[in-house]
């Protein structure tokens, strides 16, 4: 595989993405909500007098607290009800939402990879180039992967700064984020998860007629992640280091399998026949 050819595909697609608001807006909007709006709302609530009655509000988090590791529960025993509520929401409640960001970002860009070329009537010229199938697929995957990870990492940094600045005095100078779980999730799980999602989305994009059709189908990929969000929020499961390590291994294997089957399914003639 020639890296220069992969870079040419990446560069061409990135220039097109930067000019396409239909692709850019969802990539920026969702991270903005998760990294800025949601924690701001929680912290605004934490500064109101209504949290004085947080004993009742905290009842909703009891299933989640009951499944936390014993050392975390011992730490919570030294907190006030207000501190417990802010800690749980900041460190655990919102954590799985950050798995949605790379999926959302990559699905939008991955959907545009081949389906967008068909709509712009540039797919014939692209497929007529001497690029190998592997170079073409890798270039399409990287142009979705790199921005998706950049958006995820920046969103995490913004979220951590907002949470730590706002809770610094409340917790006597203790920084809530990052901790080990967040670091494994952001820098271990999200790259493998995003790569798997992008690979599947690019395959879908190559086999449908338009961008919207590809995006509608790729939304299905969000369902397993929404299951994780529901599991943690409801207290049915906790994203701890062991579970996150299993997820990294599982998604890593899926990444290899998706690229392998993507190469097998890649048919230039079939892609041309699916133009809208």
């Amino acid at each position: 595989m020639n890296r220069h050819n992969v870079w040419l595909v990446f560069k061409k697609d990135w220039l097109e993405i930067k000019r396409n608001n239909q692709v850019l807006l969802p990539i920026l909007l969702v991270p903005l909500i998760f990294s800025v709006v949601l924690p701001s709302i929680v912290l605004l609530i934490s500064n109101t007098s209504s949290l004085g009655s947080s004993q009742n509000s905290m009842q909703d988090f009891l299933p989640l607290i009951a499944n936390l590791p014993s050392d975390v529960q011992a730490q919570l025993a030294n907190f006030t009800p207000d501190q417990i509520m802010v800690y749980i929401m900041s460190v655990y409640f919102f954590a799985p939402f950050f798995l949605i960001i790379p999926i959302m970002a990559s699905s939008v860009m991955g959907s545009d990879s081949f389906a967008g070329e068909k709509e712009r009537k540039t797919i014939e010229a692209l497929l007529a180039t001497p690029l190998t199938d592997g170079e073409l697929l890798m270039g399409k995957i990287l142009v979705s992967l790199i921005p998706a990870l950049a958006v995820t990492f920046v969103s995490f940094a913004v979220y951590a700064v907002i949470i730590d600045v706002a809770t610094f005095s409340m917790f006597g100078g203790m920084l809530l984020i990052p901790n080990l779980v967040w670091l494994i999730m952001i820098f271990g799980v999200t790259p493998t998860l995003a790569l798997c999602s992008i690979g599947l989305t690019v395959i879908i994009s190559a086999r449908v007629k338009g961008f919207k059709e590809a995006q509608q189908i790729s939304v299905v990929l969000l369902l397993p992640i929404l299951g994780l969000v529901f599991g943690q929020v409801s207290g049915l499961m906790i994203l701890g280091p062991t579970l996150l390590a299993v997820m990294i291994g599982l998604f890593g294997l899926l990444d290899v399998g998706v690229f392998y089957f993507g190469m097998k399914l890649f048919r230039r003639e079939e892609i041309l026949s699916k133009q809208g």
Side-chain angles (χ1 to χ4, degrees), residues 1 5 23 26 56-57 73 93 106 115 121 136 146 159 181 187 193 208 217 220 224 227 229 231 234 275:
M1 186 178 298
N5 289 339
V23 175
N56 293 330
S57 303
Q73 293 194 35
F93 195 82
S106 61
K121 308 297 182 186
L136 199 52
I146 293 175
Y159 177 83
V181 170
F187 298 107
L193 172 63
V208 300
I217 296 174
V220 176
V229 173
S234 64
Q275 289 191 79

Side-chain angles (χ1 to χ4, degrees), residues 174-189:
M174 183 178 80
L175 300 181
L176 301 187
I177 297 173
N179 61 15
L180 179 62
V181 170
W182 273 88
L183 291 175
I184 295 174
M185 185 180 73
I186 296 297
F187 298 107
V189 176

Side-chain angles (χ1 to χ4, degrees), residues 54 83 137 141 173 234:
S54 55
Q83 288 176 315
L137 276 176
I141 288 173
S234 64

Side-chain angles (χ1 to χ4, degrees), residues 42-55 57 82 85:
V42 171
L43 296 170
L44 179 65
I45 293 173
S46 71
N47 290 322
T48 64
S49 57
S50 60
L51 197 63
S53 59
S54 55
Q55 285 284 12
S57 303
D82 289 359
M85 187 170 175

Side-chain angles (χ1 to χ4, degrees), residues 12 16 116-127:
K12 181 189 86 61
E16 290 174 356
E117 298 272 7
K118 295 172 187 175
E119 292 183 347
R120 293 188 290 272
K121 308 297 182 186
T122 56
I123 190 68
E124 290 186 14
L126 177 67
L127 296 181

Side-chain angles (χ1 to χ4, degrees), residues 20-27 30 103-116 119 197 200-206 208-222:
N20 192 340
N21 291 333
Q22 188 181 14
V23 175
L24 280 180
L25 284 178
I27 295 172
V30 173
I103 296 282
M104 286 291 295
S106 61
S107 71
V108 174
M109 290 180 285
S111 297
D112 186 69
S113 58
F114 286 106
E119 292 183 347
S197 170
L200 291 171
T201 306
V202 169
I203 292 172
I204 293 169
S205 180
V208 300
K209 292 182 178 179
F211 169 76
K212 289 185 177 178
E213 186 180 356
Q215 194 174 17
Q216 288 167 356
I217 296 174
S218 65
V219 168
V220 176
L221 301 175
L222 269 176

